């Protein structure tokens, strides 16, 4: 089963993200994965996207060890990941602060109080609980460092999707099932993924991804400018993490080489 949200669980997830990925106060990485399905009868364009293919979307929040913490399955692929997130139960619960998320906590070895956040790519909005990269081409070094640190943490969700598809080969081809059954197939696979990772380390013998090297194209140096919906608290939270990652306490030795 997927874990039951609690304050202790979130603190454990955040501690692990800091230990492995050097991103403190992180509740997980989130992204959407599109699964190809056969054309549903009488569906019109509901599941039809710009690629002229029918998809169902899995929106997933993943911890530092590639476990699925929370998922939302069944959205139509014509919707953006950010739009799906805003409308799904997980997005609403984070917005309403109803997931037992801990209060602000100091960043490691500092007295800088920072919120607990999830991390995602440029498809998602900037919130005081959601960190996305800085947009634009000409960025100050500290902002490039932040984008790099965020990319290292965010790649966990991409890795989790890769592991899921590698393990459950049904996802490598068009799924021949009704959309409501596809939802159950994807949800069951996510639960089995967590179960197998926990009890069969030989089958899931994947490294903890203690990687220092993030390819330059993943550091988001050429992002579209975001809209003006972010609040002052959201910008302040991102600036706080930016300052921390560029400080002597919060930096990692190799980051300047990667940006």
């Amino acid at each position: 089963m997927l874990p039951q949200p609690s304050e202790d669980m979130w603190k454990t997830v955040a501690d692990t993200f800091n230990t492995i990925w050097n991103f403190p106060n992180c509740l997980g990485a989130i992204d959407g994965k599109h699964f190809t399905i056969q054309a549903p009868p009488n569906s019109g364009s509901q599941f039809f996207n710009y690629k002229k293919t029918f998809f169902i979307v899995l929106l997933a929040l993943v911890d530092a060890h590639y476990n699925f913490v929370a998922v939302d399955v069944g959205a139509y692929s014509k919707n953006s990941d950010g739009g799906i997130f805003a409308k799904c139960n997980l997005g609403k619960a984070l917005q309403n602060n109803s997931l037992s998320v801990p209060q602000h906590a100091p960043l490691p070895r500092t007295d800088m109080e920072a919120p607990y956040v999830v991390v995602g790519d440029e498809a998602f909005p900037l919130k005081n609980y959601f960190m996305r990269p800085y947009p634009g081409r000409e960025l100050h070094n500290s902002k490039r460092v932040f984008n790099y640190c965020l990319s290292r943490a965010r790649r966990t969700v991409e890795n989790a999707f890769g592991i899921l598809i590698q393990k459950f080969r049904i996802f490598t081809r068009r799924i021949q099932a009704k959309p409501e059954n596809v939802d159950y197939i994807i949800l069951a696979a996510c639960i089995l993924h967590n179960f197998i990772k926990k009890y069969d380390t030989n089958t899931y013998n994947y490294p903890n991804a203690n990687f220092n090297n993030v390819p330059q194209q993943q550091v988001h140096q050429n992002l579209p400018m975001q809209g003006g919906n972010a609040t002052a608290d959201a910008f302040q939270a991102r600036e706080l993490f930016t300052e921390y990652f560029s400080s002597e306490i919060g930096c990692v030795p190799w980051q300047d080489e990667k940006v």
Side-chain angles (χ1 to χ4, degrees), residues 111-137:
D111 57 1
M112 301 165 63
E113 291 277 336
Y116 284 88
V117 298
V118 296
V119 296
D121 63 19
E122 64 275 13
F124 295 92
L126 179 66
K127 302 283 187 179
N128 61 338
Y129 56 83
F130 202 118
M131 293 291 101
R132 57 156 280 166
Y134 284 99
R137 295 177 59 88

Side-chain angles (χ1 to χ4, degrees), residues 51-163:
K51 295 182 180 179
K52 300 182 180 180
T53 309
F54 290 86
F55 287 94
I56 278 181
V57 181
L58 163 66
L59 191 72
L61 179 69
V62 172
D63 71 12
H65 288 297
Y66 313 147
N67 295 300
F68 292 104
V69 177
V71 299
D72 182 86
V73 188
Y76 305 149
S77 65
K78 67 179 181 179
N79 298 322
S80 68
D81 289 346
I84 294 170
F85 175 75
K87 296 177 181 178
C88 75
N89 290 333
L90 174 60
K92 292 177 180 177
L94 285 169
Q95 178 68 34
N96 298 330
N97 195 25
S98 59
L99 278 180
S100 302
V101 174
Q103 297 297 315
H104 291 29
L107 296 176
R109 295 179 294 162
T110 75
D111 57 1
M112 301 165 63
E113 291 277 336
Y116 284 88
V117 298
V118 296
V119 296
D121 63 19
E122 64 275 13
F124 295 92
L126 179 66
K127 302 283 187 179
N128 61 338
Y129 56 83
F130 202 118
M131 293 291 101
R132 57 156 280 166
Y134 284 99
R137 295 177 59 88
E138 301 297 330
L139 294 176
H140 187 273
N141 185 69
S142 62
K143 294 182 178 180
R144 293 199 301 270
V145 166
F146 172 87
N147 284 0
Y148 168 75
C149 293
L150 184 142
S151 292
R152 290 189 71 242
R154 191 185 63 80
R155 65 193 290 177
T156 55
V157 66
E158 296 177 353
N159 292 345
F161 287 149
I163 295 170

Side-chain angles (χ1 to χ4, degrees), residues 37-51:
I37 63 172
Q38 67 179 358
N42 304 316
S43 63
S45 62
Q46 285 183 325
F47 298 89
F48 197 64
N49 75 350
Y50 69 96
K51 295 182 180 179

